[in-house]
Amino acid sequence: MKNILKDIVLKLIKENNIPINNAGELIFGDGCLVLPAYIYKEKCYFKFFLNPNNLNKINSEIEIVTYLKENESPVAEIIEINNKKLFNLQLEKGINIYFFIVKAVEGDMDYNITEEMLENIFEEIAIMHKKIKGFDQSKINLEIYTDYQRLIEFYIKNYNFCLSENLSDYIKQIITISPEDTETYPIHSDLYFNNFIMKNNKLKCFIDFSDIRMSYFEDDFGKIFQFLLCNNKIDIKDISKYLEIYESTSGIKLYKKNIYISIIFRVIYREYCKYKEDNTYKFDELCRKILKEILEEIDRSGNK
């Protein structure tokens, strides 16, 4: 099956007159297929979408990444060929395949997460967000979808899981708090180390904007803080320090309450994904402790 799919995507590339060589193995991504290959001597990744149900999202990813690249943000370049960045081919029986091409960015494979590294990452996120504020949003068409909304929908759809893991009280408490209603922008939505290219302990490139959506800037922090907290890289009290670095660099005010809501959703969703893979899995006690501490922190800060 994998070889058949590879033959199809290679045919697509050939029919669009794109000169590739040294094609690697096809990678199954989340909602897409990825083919590593070279255009002449340049390593690239071809990202394929089969009958995408949200073409607006793909176009929006291309628009925002192109804008950021043009404004010297550390993002991977989307390649333009014959004045096109998004390519498509209609196969028989109404099957449509779309793809775009991203230049590969090389970095360090092994590194330790340090305080200095985290400070640099939050500075780079701040600079990226500041540039996004200047983006012409009329060029994209994305629905607003906040982590607060996602948390409510998750609770409704997975009520039995929440009940069995004694999460209902946590979720009900956070739902009654509600987020600070601030401006929304296109956000990356999956900022953590799988989507950072690091070099010499500094961020070299943000990659994979495929989860792009309109939301609060605060929702761009839920995933990275969830990762750091659940892997014992930082404590709850450290969050303030990194947010201060962000705010002083960007000039953008953040609402901690919104960030805490995002973290809570991400922690619960992380554990749910593990449960879906193995229904004997039990909610991690460290994660439960994190949820409790965040809710206590919200109470102490007066929901600010």
Side-chain angles (χ1 to χ4, degrees):
M1 180 64 176
K2 207 170 185 179
N3 288 335
I4 294 172
L5 288 171
K6 184 175 178 180
D7 288 342
I8 291 172
V9 299
L10 287 173
K11 178 185 176 186
L12 276 174
I13 294 168
K14 184 178 179 181
E15 290 188 5
N16 279 275
N17 298 315
I18 299 171
I20 75 159
N21 58 80
N22 294 335
E25 291 298 313
L26 203 59
I27 302 165
F28 288 82
D30 186 11
C32 67
L33 299 171
V34 178
L35 180 73
Y38 285 78
I39 298 179
Y40 300 116
K41 295 183 178 181
E42 189 85 56
K43 185 179 180 180
C44 304
Y45 291 100
F46 291 72
K47 197 169 178 180
F48 293 87
F49 305 86
L50 177 63
N51 284 341
N53 56 16
N54 194 344
L55 195 53
N56 284 331
K57 194 172 183 180
I58 298 170
N59 279 310
S60 296
E61 179 180 355
I62 293 170
E63 284 287 346
I64 194 70
V65 171
T66 299
Y67 166 81
L68 287 170
K69 189 66 179 177
E70 289 172 350
N71 284 273
E72 300 182 340
S73 287
V75 297
E77 180 182 351
I78 295 178
I79 295 175
E80 181 175 304
I81 297 175
N82 298 326
N83 297 316
K84 288 174 65 178
K85 289 189 175 179
L86 182 62
F87 305 85
N88 78 290
L89 183 69
Q90 185 170 18
L91 305 179
E92 58 184 38
K93 298 180 181 178
I95 298 174
N96 285 285
I97 298 180
Y98 291 81
F99 73 93
F100 61 84
I101 313 162
V102 182
K103 276 189 183 180
V105 178
E106 302 299 330
D108 296 331
M109 296 300 293
D110 295 311
Y111 53 82
N112 294 317
I113 297 173
T114 64
E115 184 176 349
E116 181 183 10
M117 178 186 289
L118 290 176
E119 288 174 357
N120 170 256
I121 288 170
F122 280 89
E123 286 174 355
E124 291 294 346
I125 294 172
I127 294 167
M128 178 174 68
H129 281 179
K130 190 173 182 179
K131 290 177 180 178
I132 286 174
K133 284 192 77 172
F135 176 71
D136 181 2
Q137 294 186 25
S138 68
K139 292 183 176 181
I140 59 175
N141 184 11
L142 293 170
E143 291 184 9
I144 296 173
Y145 194 32
T146 69
D147 281 348
Y148 180 71
Q149 291 172 279
R150 296 169 82 191
L151 180 64
I152 294 172
E153 287 183 14
F154 176 87
Y155 182 55
I156 293 170
K157 291 178 181 177
N158 302 286
Y159 177 77
N160 289 335
F161 168 78
C162 297
L163 198 64
S164 67
E165 296 297 333
N166 299 315
L167 298 174
S168 293
D169 288 343
Y170 294 116
I171 297 175
K172 286 176 183 176
Q173 188 175 343
I174 202 70
I175 287 174
T176 58
I177 291 169
S178 75
E180 192 73 31
D181 191 16
T182 185
E183 289 186 66
T184 59
Y185 298 93
I187 65 169
H188 182 288
S189 192
D190 199 21
L191 290 175
Y192 77 121
F193 285 87
N194 280 13
N195 291 325
F196 300 155
I197 304 294
M198 307 301 299
K199 187 70 177 177
N200 298 326
N201 289 324
K202 291 191 174 182
L203 186 134
K204 184 177 180 181
C205 188
F206 296 108
I207 62 170
D208 193 1
F209 283 70
S210 57
D211 285 340
I212 189 171
R213 59 187 162 108
M214 292 292 293
S215 192
Y216 311 131
F217 277 145
E218 288 89 341
D219 282 352
D220 243 354
F221 294 97
K223 184 66 175 280
I224 185 170
F225 280 132
Q226 168 257 298
F227 175 87
L228 294 170
L229 290 165
C230 292
N231 288 281
N232 275 318
K233 300 298 182 183
I234 65 169
D235 295 320
I236 299 288
K237 61 180 175 57
D238 296 321
I239 291 175
S240 294
K241 174 177 64 178
Y242 295 113
L243 295 184
E244 286 172 9
I245 291 170
Y246 172 93
E247 290 184 337
S248 64
T249 303
S250 66
I252 298 169
K253 175 178 171 53
L254 296 175
Y255 292 94
K256 275 189 185 178
K257 179 171 65 170
N258 292 8
I259 291 172
Y260 290 146
I261 291 171
S262 181
I263 296 170
I264 286 174
F265 168 72
R266 294 290 192 163
V267 169
I268 292 173
Y269 189 72
R270 169 189 187 265
E271 293 300 288
Y272 174 74
C273 289
K274 290 184 176 181
Y275 168 79
K276 289 293 286 183
E277 292 175 3
D278 176 8
N279 61 14
T280 65
Y281 178 80
K282 293 299 180 183
F283 205 91
D284 185 85
E285 286 307 310
L286 172 62
C287 292
R288 196 180 299 278
K289 179 174 176 283
I290 290 166
L291 295 179
K292 183 180 178 182
E293 289 180 354
I294 289 176
L295 287 169
E296 289 172 351
E297 186 64 30
I298 292 173
D299 285 341
R300 276 194 296 271
S301 61
N303 295 348
K304 299 296 184 184

